[in-house]
PDB file of all heavy atoms in Angstrom:
ATOM      1  N   GLY A 584       8.549 -29.123 -48.183  1.00 39.00           N
ATOM      2  CA  GLY A 584       8.168 -27.727 -48.131  1.00 39.00           C
ATOM      3  C   GLY A 584       9.116 -26.750 -47.489  1.00 39.00           C
ATOM      4  O   GLY A 584      10.233 -27.053 -47.129  1.00 39.00           O
ATOM      5  N   TYR A 603       3.550  18.681 -27.952  1.00 76.00           N
ATOM      6  CA  TYR A 603       4.187  19.875 -28.416  1.00 76.00           C
ATOM      7  C   TYR A 603       5.092  20.538 -27.410  1.00 76.00           C
ATOM      8  O   TYR A 603       5.926  21.379 -27.740  1.00 76.00           O
ATOM      9  CB  TYR A 603       3.134  20.907 -28.862  1.00 76.00           C
ATOM     10  CG  TYR A 603       2.449  20.538 -30.175  1.00 76.00           C
ATOM     11  CD1 TYR A 603       1.231  19.880 -30.198  1.00 76.00           C
ATOM     12  CD2 TYR A 603       3.099  20.815 -31.352  1.00 76.00           C
ATOM     13  CE1 TYR A 603       0.607  19.532 -31.398  1.00 76.00           C
ATOM     14  CE2 TYR A 603       2.475  20.431 -32.604  1.00 76.00           C
ATOM     15  CZ  TYR A 603       1.259  19.811 -32.608  1.00 76.00           C
ATOM     16  OH  TYR A 603       0.669  19.463 -33.774  1.00 76.00           O
ATOM     17  N   GLY A 606       8.088  17.448 -27.405  1.00 83.00           N
ATOM     18  CA  GLY A 606       8.584  17.074 -28.746  1.00 83.00           C
ATOM     19  C   GLY A 606       8.949  15.592 -28.804  1.00 83.00           C
ATOM     20  O   GLY A 606       8.247  14.759 -28.250  1.00 83.00           O
ATOM     21  N   CYS A 632       6.045  -1.516 -19.321  1.00 81.00           N
ATOM     22  CA  CYS A 632       5.964  -1.296 -20.763  1.00 81.00           C
ATOM     23  C   CYS A 632       5.111  -0.015 -20.974  1.00 81.00           C
ATOM     24  O   CYS A 632       4.040   0.029 -20.428  1.00 81.00           O
ATOM     25  CB  CYS A 632       5.321  -2.479 -21.493  1.00 81.00           C
ATOM     26  SG  CYS A 632       5.174  -2.237 -23.234  1.00 81.00           S
ATOM     27  N   THR A 635       2.321  -0.666 -26.529  1.00 85.00           N
ATOM     28  CA  THR A 635       2.503  -1.752 -27.491  1.00 85.00           C
ATOM     29  C   THR A 635       1.722  -1.517 -28.702  1.00 85.00           C
ATOM     30  O   THR A 635       0.521  -1.123 -28.664  1.00 85.00           O
ATOM     31  CB  THR A 635       2.128  -3.087 -26.865  1.00 85.00           C
ATOM     32  OG1 THR A 635       2.906  -3.309 -25.670  1.00 85.00           O
ATOM     33  CG2 THR A 635       2.368  -4.238 -27.787  1.00 85.00           C
ATOM     34  N   SER A 655      -2.261   2.587 -35.997  1.00 82.00           N
ATOM     35  CA  SER A 655      -2.919   1.369 -35.460  1.00 82.00           C
ATOM     36  C   SER A 655      -4.039   1.733 -34.522  1.00 82.00           C
ATOM     37  O   SER A 655      -3.805   2.557 -33.654  1.00 82.00           O
ATOM     38  CB  SER A 655      -1.902   0.446 -34.756  1.00 82.00           C
ATOM     39  OG  SER A 655      -2.528  -0.700 -34.227  1.00 82.00           O
ATOM     40  N   ALA A 664      14.398   7.910 -36.673  1.00 91.00           N
ATOM     41  CA  ALA A 664      15.627   7.204 -36.425  1.00 91.00           C
ATOM     42  C   ALA A 664      16.793   8.160 -36.435  1.00 91.00           C
ATOM     43  O   ALA A 664      16.705   9.329 -36.889  1.00 91.00           O
ATOM     44  CB  ALA A 664      15.843   6.115 -37.465  1.00 91.00           C
ATOM     45  N   GLY A 695     -13.510 -24.657 -35.627  1.00 42.00           N
ATOM     46  CA  GLY A 695     -12.961 -26.023 -35.726  1.00 42.00           C
ATOM     47  C   GLY A 695     -13.318 -26.822 -34.517  1.00 42.00           C
ATOM     48  O   GLY A 695     -13.873 -26.322 -33.520  1.00 42.00           O
ATOM     49  N   SER A 739      26.592  -7.860 -68.479  1.00 74.00           N
ATOM     50  CA  SER A 739      26.581  -8.228 -69.888  1.00 74.00           C
ATOM     51  C   SER A 739      25.871  -7.188 -70.704  1.00 74.00           C
ATOM     52  O   SER A 739      26.294  -6.850 -71.848  1.00 74.00           O
ATOM     53  CB  SER A 739      25.961  -9.603 -70.081  1.00 74.00           C
ATOM     54  OG  SER A 739      26.687 -10.590 -69.374  1.00 74.00           O
ATOM     55  N   LEU A 812      -8.249 -22.722  -6.992  1.00 81.00           N
ATOM     56  CA  LEU A 812      -7.384 -23.473  -6.096  1.00 81.00           C
ATOM     57  C   LEU A 812      -6.849 -22.632  -5.028  1.00 81.00           C
ATOM     58  O   LEU A 812      -6.759 -23.025  -3.845  1.00 81.00           O
ATOM     59  CB  LEU A 812      -6.296 -24.192  -6.880  1.00 81.00           C
ATOM     60  CG  LEU A 812      -5.266 -24.975  -6.050  1.00 81.00           C
ATOM     61  CD1 LEU A 812      -5.939 -26.099  -5.253  1.00 81.00           C
ATOM     62  CD2 LEU A 812      -4.183 -25.553  -6.907  1.00 81.00           C
ATOM     63  N   ALA A 813      -6.419 -21.373  -5.403  1.00 77.00           N
ATOM     64  CA  ALA A 813      -5.860 -20.481  -4.403  1.00 77.00           C
ATOM     65  C   ALA A 813      -6.886 -20.108  -3.374  1.00 77.00           C
ATOM     66  O   ALA A 813      -6.613 -20.077  -2.143  1.00 77.00           O
ATOM     67  CB  ALA A 813      -5.324 -19.213  -5.117  1.00 77.00           C
ATOM     68  N   SER A 829     -14.423 -31.164  16.072  1.00 42.00           N
ATOM     69  CA  SER A 829     -15.256 -32.072  15.279  1.00 42.00           C
ATOM     70  C   SER A 829     -14.575 -32.535  13.982  1.00 42.00           C
ATOM     71  O   SER A 829     -14.964 -33.523  13.438  1.00 42.00           O
ATOM     72  CB  SER A 829     -16.580 -31.398  14.953  1.00 42.00           C
ATOM     73  OG  SER A 829     -16.359 -30.197  14.206  1.00 42.00           O
ATOM     74  N   CYS A 842     -13.397 -30.064 -14.087  1.00 37.00           N
ATOM     75  CA  CYS A 842     -12.282 -30.253 -14.967  1.00 37.00           C
ATOM     76  C   CYS A 842     -12.053 -31.765 -15.172  1.00 37.00           C
ATOM     77  O   CYS A 842     -12.383 -32.605 -14.349  1.00 37.00           O
ATOM     78  CB  CYS A 842     -11.018 -29.619 -14.390  1.00 37.00           C
ATOM     79  SG  CYS A 842     -11.229 -27.845 -14.075  1.00 37.00           S
ATOM     80  N   ILE A 933     -14.823  16.106  15.360  1.00 60.00           N
ATOM     81  CA  ILE A 933     -16.114  16.307  14.726  1.00 60.00           C
ATOM     82  C   ILE A 933     -17.086  15.203  15.217  1.00 60.00           C
ATOM     83  O   ILE A 933     -16.808  14.054  15.067  1.00 60.00           O
ATOM     84  CB  ILE A 933     -15.984  16.282  13.218  1.00 60.00           C
ATOM     85  CG1 ILE A 933     -14.991  17.367  12.738  1.00 60.00           C
ATOM     86  CG2 ILE A 933     -17.329  16.484  12.540  1.00 60.00           C
ATOM     87  CD1 ILE A 933     -14.765  17.336  11.238  1.00 60.00           C
ATOM     88  N   PRO A 993     -13.153   4.573  10.820  1.00 91.00           N
ATOM     89  CA  PRO A 993     -13.256   3.674  11.962  1.00 91.00           C
ATOM     90  C   PRO A 993     -13.633   4.428  13.216  1.00 91.00           C
ATOM     91  O   PRO A 993     -13.533   5.697  13.288  1.00 91.00           O
ATOM     92  CB  PRO A 993     -11.808   3.108  12.107  1.00 91.00           C
ATOM     93  CG  PRO A 993     -10.959   4.128  11.464  1.00 91.00           C
ATOM     94  CD  PRO A 993     -11.756   4.738  10.351  1.00 91.00           C
ATOM     95  N   PRO A1023      -4.112  14.786  21.514  1.00 81.00           N
ATOM     96  CA  PRO A1023      -4.410  14.198  20.233  1.00 81.00           C
ATOM     97  C   PRO A1023      -4.595  12.675  20.363  1.00 81.00           C
ATOM     98  O   PRO A1023      -4.025  12.051  21.275  1.00 81.00           O
ATOM     99  CB  PRO A1023      -3.141  14.520  19.413  1.00 81.00           C
ATOM    100  CG  PRO A1023      -2.078  14.574  20.423  1.00 81.00           C
ATOM    101  CD  PRO A1023      -2.677  15.151  21.637  1.00 81.00           C
ATOM    102  N   TRP A1036      10.172 -12.597  15.384  1.00 96.00           N
ATOM    103  CA  TRP A1036      10.150 -11.117  15.232  1.00 96.00           C
ATOM    104  C   TRP A1036       9.246 -10.488  16.278  1.00 96.00           C
ATOM    105  O   TRP A1036       8.332 -11.086  16.803  1.00 96.00           O
ATOM    106  CB  TRP A1036       9.739 -10.743  13.825  1.00 96.00           C
ATOM    107  CG  TRP A1036       8.399 -11.356  13.355  1.00 96.00           C
ATOM    108  CD1 TRP A1036       8.264 -12.531  12.737  1.00 96.00           C
ATOM    109  CD2 TRP A1036       7.088 -10.812  13.537  1.00 96.00           C
ATOM    110  NE1 TRP A1036       6.945 -12.770  12.485  1.00 96.00           N
ATOM    111  CE2 TRP A1036       6.189 -11.719  12.993  1.00 96.00           C
ATOM    112  CE3 TRP A1036       6.617  -9.659  14.139  1.00 96.00           C
ATOM    113  CZ2 TRP A1036       4.810 -11.513  12.956  1.00 96.00           C
ATOM    114  CZ3 TRP A1036       5.258  -9.404  14.132  1.00 96.00           C
ATOM    115  CH2 TRP A1036       4.377 -10.325  13.528  1.00 96.00           C
ATOM    116  N   LYS A1051     -13.190  19.437  -0.001  1.00 79.00           N
ATOM    117  CA  LYS A1051     -13.409  18.463  -1.056  1.00 79.00           C
ATOM    118  C   LYS A1051     -12.812  17.119  -0.646  1.00 79.00           C
ATOM    119  O   LYS A1051     -13.173  16.075  -1.226  1.00 79.00           O
ATOM    120  CB  LYS A1051     -12.738  18.909  -2.341  1.00 79.00           C
ATOM    121  CG  LYS A1051     -13.408  20.128  -2.963  1.00 79.00           C
ATOM    122  CD  LYS A1051     -12.775  20.489  -4.298  1.00 79.00           C
ATOM    123  CE  LYS A1051     -13.430  21.632  -4.971  1.00 79.00           C
ATOM    124  NZ  LYS A1051     -12.818  21.979  -6.294  1.00 79.00           N
ATOM    125  N   SER A1075       7.806   4.843   8.760  1.00 93.00           N
ATOM    126  CA  SER A1075       6.560   5.529   9.103  1.00 93.00           C
ATOM    127  C   SER A1075       5.555   5.285   8.011  1.00 93.00           C
ATOM    128  O   SER A1075       5.835   4.693   6.967  1.00 93.00           O
ATOM    129  CB  SER A1075       6.782   7.030   9.312  1.00 93.00           C
ATOM    130  OG  SER A1075       7.375   7.561   8.145  1.00 93.00           O
ATOM    131  N   ASN A1101      17.306   0.091   8.247  1.00 95.00           N
ATOM    132  CA  ASN A1101      17.810  -0.973   9.171  1.00 95.00           C
ATOM    133  C   ASN A1101      18.869  -0.306   9.993  1.00 95.00           C
ATOM    134  O   ASN A1101      19.996  -0.088   9.577  1.00 95.00           O
ATOM    135  CB  ASN A1101      18.395  -2.129   8.279  1.00 95.00           C
ATOM    136  CG  ASN A1101      18.848  -3.254   9.204  1.00 95.00           C
ATOM    137  OD1 ASN A1101      19.042  -3.131  10.394  1.00 95.00           O
ATOM    138  ND2 ASN A1101      19.060  -4.452   8.533  1.00 95.00           N
ATOM    139  N   ASP A1106      21.246  -0.412   6.069  1.00 95.00           N
ATOM    140  CA  ASP A1106      20.580  -0.583   4.808  1.00 95.00           C
ATOM    141  C   ASP A1106      19.326   0.296   4.755  1.00 95.00           C
ATOM    142  O   ASP A1106      18.706   0.538   5.819  1.00 95.00           O
ATOM    143  CB  ASP A1106      20.184  -2.071   4.544  1.00 95.00           C
ATOM    144  CG  ASP A1106      21.405  -2.970   4.524  1.00 95.00           C
ATOM    145  OD1 ASP A1106      22.529  -2.475   4.313  1.00 95.00           O
ATOM    146  OD2 ASP A1106      21.215  -4.186   4.824  1.00 95.00           O
ATOM    147  N   LEU A1180       6.924 -10.830  -4.432  1.00 95.00           N
ATOM    148  CA  LEU A1180       7.107 -10.888  -2.973  1.00 95.00           C
ATOM    149  C   LEU A1180       5.789 -10.984  -2.252  1.00 95.00           C
ATOM    150  O   LEU A1180       5.620 -11.738  -1.268  1.00 95.00           O
ATOM    151  CB  LEU A1180       7.827  -9.600  -2.519  1.00 95.00           C
ATOM    152  CG  LEU A1180       9.236  -9.374  -2.959  1.00 95.00           C
ATOM    153  CD1 LEU A1180       9.745  -8.045  -2.443  1.00 95.00           C
ATOM    154  CD2 LEU A1180      10.126 -10.498  -2.487  1.00 95.00           C
ATOM    155  N   HIS A1194     -18.924  -4.031   4.114  1.00 90.00           N
ATOM    156  CA  HIS A1194     -17.975  -2.921   4.319  1.00 90.00           C
ATOM    157  C   HIS A1194     -16.625  -3.211   3.641  1.00 90.00           C
ATOM    158  O   HIS A1194     -15.640  -2.629   3.987  1.00 90.00           O
ATOM    159  CB  HIS A1194     -17.729  -2.655   5.803  1.00 90.00           C
ATOM    160  CG  HIS A1194     -19.008  -2.460   6.615  1.00 90.00           C
ATOM    161  ND1 HIS A1194     -19.619  -1.257   6.695  1.00 90.00           N
ATOM    162  CD2 HIS A1194     -19.745  -3.364   7.337  1.00 90.00           C
ATOM    163  CE1 HIS A1194     -20.684  -1.388   7.465  1.00 90.00           C
ATOM    164  NE2 HIS A1194     -20.774  -2.628   7.877  1.00 90.00           N
ATOM    165  N   THR A1202     -13.074 -11.142  11.193  1.00 94.00           N
ATOM    166  CA  THR A1202     -12.936 -11.810  12.514  1.00 94.00           C
ATOM    167  C   THR A1202     -12.514 -10.883  13.640  1.00 94.00           C
ATOM    168  O   THR A1202     -12.519 -11.329  14.764  1.00 94.00           O
ATOM    169  CB  THR A1202     -11.903 -12.929  12.382  1.00 94.00           C
ATOM    170  OG1 THR A1202     -10.588 -12.364  12.185  1.00 94.00           O
ATOM    171  CG2 THR A1202     -12.226 -13.872  11.228  1.00 94.00           C
ATOM    172  N   ARG A1244     -16.409  13.015  27.780  1.00 84.00           N
ATOM    173  CA  ARG A1244     -16.196  14.446  28.010  1.00 84.00           C
ATOM    174  C   ARG A1244     -16.235  14.733  29.531  1.00 84.00           C
ATOM    175  O   ARG A1244     -15.425  15.554  30.032  1.00 84.00           O
ATOM    176  CB  ARG A1244     -17.262  15.218  27.269  1.00 84.00           C
ATOM    177  CG  ARG A1244     -16.998  15.429  25.793  1.00 84.00           C
ATOM    178  CD  ARG A1244     -17.935  16.429  25.161  1.00 84.00           C
ATOM    179  NE  ARG A1244     -19.276  15.925  25.073  1.00 84.00           N
ATOM    180  CZ  ARG A1244     -19.702  15.277  24.034  1.00 84.00           C
ATOM    181  NH1 ARG A1244     -18.970  15.058  22.939  1.00 84.00           N
ATOM    182  NH2 ARG A1244     -20.988  14.837  23.986  1.00 84.00           N
ATOM    183  N   TYR A1285       5.359  -1.259  25.390  1.00 94.00           N
ATOM    184  CA  TYR A1285       4.646  -2.225  26.199  1.00 94.00           C
ATOM    185  C   TYR A1285       5.499  -2.616  27.386  1.00 94.00           C
ATOM    186  O   TYR A1285       6.648  -2.982  27.249  1.00 94.00           O
ATOM    187  CB  TYR A1285       4.340  -3.472  25.317  1.00 94.00           C
ATOM    188  CG  TYR A1285       3.661  -4.564  26.006  1.00 94.00           C
ATOM    189  CD1 TYR A1285       2.379  -4.397  26.526  1.00 94.00           C
ATOM    190  CD2 TYR A1285       4.273  -5.834  26.129  1.00 94.00           C
ATOM    191  CE1 TYR A1285       1.737  -5.449  27.172  1.00 94.00           C
ATOM    192  CE2 TYR A1285       3.611  -6.897  26.754  1.00 94.00           C
ATOM    193  CZ  TYR A1285       2.352  -6.672  27.268  1.00 94.00           C
ATOM    194  OH  TYR A1285       1.737  -7.709  27.932  1.00 94.00           O
ATOM    195  N   PRO A1302     -10.324   0.219  33.919  1.00 89.00           N
ATOM    196  CA  PRO A1302     -11.400   1.140  34.189  1.00 89.00           C
ATOM    197  C   PRO A1302     -12.690   0.711  33.472  1.00 89.00           C
ATOM    198  O   PRO A1302     -12.672  -0.056  32.520  1.00 89.00           O
ATOM    199  CB  PRO A1302     -10.914   2.476  33.641  1.00 89.00           C
ATOM    200  CG  PRO A1302      -9.968   2.089  32.528  1.00 89.00           C
ATOM    201  CD  PRO A1302      -9.304   0.802  33.014  1.00 89.00           C
TER     202      PRO A1302
END
Side-chain angles (χ1 to χ4, degrees):
Y603 286 99
C632 178
T635 301
S655 177
S739 298
L812 176 61
S829 60
C842 303
I933 301 176
W1036 53 271
K1051 293 183 179 180
S1075 58
N1101 183 344
D1106 300 336
L1180 294 178
H1194 309 275
T1202 68
R1244 281 191 289 269
Y1285 178 62

